[in-house]
Amino acid sequence: MPAEPENPDGTDLRRPTLKDRYRRYRHGLRRNPATDRAWRTGVGIAGGVVVIAGIIMIPYPGPGWLVVLAGLALLATEFERAQRVLTFVRTRYAR
């Protein structure tokens, strides 16, 4: 298996993954407090809407719990409390 290519300065030459690109994008947004607040507000609203839609869908046939978990995952990208709730739910589901 060939070794990963590196620059002479030791940095990796691989293409950045989607996760790497997202992290760089978020880092740029965090430098400006106004854009950071707007981003977090947008994520909070979108995640909240998805969670509420999932809760409404739970009694009906279909992916209600899956939608709730997707909303929690969306919220967990920006909020620590949502990350803790998602971790709790995942451990309960694994049991």
Side-chain angles (χ1 to χ4, degrees):
M1 177 177 262
E4 294 294 327
E6 290 188 9
N7 280 338
D9 61 358
T11 58
D12 198 358
L13 289 178
R14 289 180 296 169
R15 276 183 78 173
T17 63
L18 182 62
K19 194 176 204 178
D20 294 334
R21 293 192 318 230
Y22 174 74
R23 284 183 180 159
R24 262 186 293 181
Y25 178 73
R26 273 302 290 137
H27 179 69
L29 289 178
R30 282 190 181 110
R31 289 187 295 182
N32 184 341
T35 58
D36 184 45
R37 182 172 299 274
W39 178 266
R40 288 175 59 93
T41 301
V43 169
I45 291 170
V49 166
V50 172
V51 168
I52 290 170
I55 290 171
I56 292 170
M57 292 168 60
I58 287 173
Y60 301 107
W65 283 109
L66 185 63
V67 173
V68 171
L69 290 176
L72 279 174
L74 181 62
L75 288 170
T77 63
E78 293 297 321
F79 303 103
E80 180 66 30
R81 178 171 281 178
Q83 179 64 45
R84 288 192 303 250
V85 170
L86 183 61
T87 303
F88 174 76
V89 170
R90 281 182 179 168
T91 57
R92 290 288 187 164
Y93 179 75
R95 288 184 189 173

